[in-house]
Each structure stands twice: as structure tokens, then as C-alpha cells.
Amino acid sequence: MENKGYSKIETFNEEATEQLTFHYRKVLELLGEDADREGLVKTPLRVAKAMQFLTQGYHSNPEEILRSAMFKEDYRQMVIVKDIELYSLCEHHMLPFVGRAHVAYIPNGTITGLSKIARVVEAFARRLQVQERLTTQIKDCIQNTLNPLGVAVVIEAQHMCMAMRGVQKQNSITTTSDFTGVFEKVATREEFIRLISAKTI
Ligand SMILES: [Zn+2]
């Protein structure tokens, strides 16, 4: 059973876990904490596992995910998967950015399982990222694997590095988008934007 497209890794690399635990203990000390106090004793280990979980995308192959569920189909209308929950880490601060991805494509003889689109988003999001590259990687992966008539990706996200530090623009949302093929036509792109903006269900 997939949990909103996010699958949990149950095993951690032992060597990496050990090294990360050692270094996160040092981080706590450098921040002025007492790494031996009760609440923090297991924190380095927990962080070591959490960070491996949050970067598990390095161990998945998004094109492989799509190829695992490709079907011949004559449907040539827009397929949209909207409001895909997105959790990533900005590579500049290693702080979270969270939001939603909306992905569309127009098949050219081949479709994929809808859950696979969400899994592709996850595979790229669970790495150190910038939102712009994440957007483009998702688009390229779908374009190169399914070879559709066009792909559209829009990501809306809030960056904790902006909300919690620096300029402290708590509510600002960053939107990025990238398109290929038929989505480069204004009419097609506008239909996509209208459909992802509509309140449904
Ligand atoms: Zn950042």
C-alpha cells in the first residue's frame, strides 16, 4: 500500500548511520548543547536515520519507476495529477521546502500508472534540491521515458530557509514551472493552469 506516493525505507546503511550519528553528536556540541542530556542522547542516531530517509531519492531510479508501469493506449488527451504532496530539502541550507506538484502529460501511445507520477516526484524530491532543478528533472524524466506529446510541471512550495531565517517572509510561496512539446502552446498551457487551479472534489 502506497502512502500518498511516499514509500518508507526500513533499512539504513549501517556504516553511514554510524558515521552520521558520530558527526551529528559533534554538531550538537558545536551548537552549545550537552549531547549527553537525557532528551538528546538518541538524537544523533534519530537525525542520522531521518536524513537518510529524507535523501532516499539518491537510491531510486525515477525512469525505472515509470518503465515499470508503461501501457500502450490510444488516449491522447491531457492526463493531470495535481496536488502531489512534496517534501524536499533545499541544498543551500538543508532546510525543508514543502508544497505541491502538479504534473500533466499528453500521451503519444504510451501511458503510465498514475501513482508512478507521484513516485517520480518523490524520487527527485527526496534529495538535496533547488526547486527549479526539481521541476526540470521531473519534466525531463517523463518526457524522456514516456515520449509524450508534451509534459507540464508546476511546483508551488514554501521554503523554511526563507520563512524561518533571513528575510522571514513567512507566507511567501515560490512557484516554478516547466513545459515541453504541446504545452509550449499558450492554449494548451492555459487549459492546464485552469484545470490545476480549479477546486475539485
Ligand atoms: Zn535554502
Side-chain angles (χ1 to χ4, degrees), residues 84-86 101 103 117-126 134 138:
I84 301 168
E85 280 181 64
L86 178 126
V103 178
I117 301 285
R119 288 196 55 211
V120 166
V121 172
E122 176 204 358
F124 286 116
R126 297 287 197 199
L134 174 61
I138 295 165

Side-chain angles (χ1 to χ4, degrees), residues 90-95 97 129 159-162 165:
C90 92
E91 68 183 16
H92 303 133
H93 305 93
M94 293 177 72
L95 288 171
F97 63 97
Q129 276 289 8
H159 290 249
M160 290 308 121
C161 60
M162 274 182 81
R165 56 171 287 287

Side-chain angles (χ1 to χ4, degrees), residues 102-105 139 150-154 178-180 183 189 192:
H102 315 288
V103 178
Y105 71 103
K139 176 210 70 174
V151 181
V153 179
V154 169
D178 207 352
F179 307 95
T180 66
F183 286 97
R189 196 159 67 226
F192 168 64

Side-chain angles (χ1 to χ4, degrees), residues 1-8 53 81-87 99-101 114-123 125-126:
M1 178 67 195
E2 283 173 18
N3 176 20
K4 290 176 182 164
Y6 288 84
S7 54
K8 190 170 181 174
F53 178 81
V81 186
K82 63 182 239 178
D83 293 329
I84 301 168
E85 280 181 64
L86 178 126
Y87 303 93
R100 281 190 292 251
L114 296 176
S115 69
K116 304 303 177 206
I117 301 285
R119 288 196 55 211
V120 166
V121 172
E122 176 204 358
R126 297 287 197 199

Side-chain angles (χ1 to χ4, degrees), residues 51-69:
M51 290 306 289
Q52 286 178 81
F53 178 81
L54 297 176
T55 57
Q56 64 183 280
Y58 291 123
H59 308 292
S60 59
N61 181 334
E63 293 196 358
E64 201 49 55
I65 290 169
L66 287 183
R67 272 196 289 268
S68 72

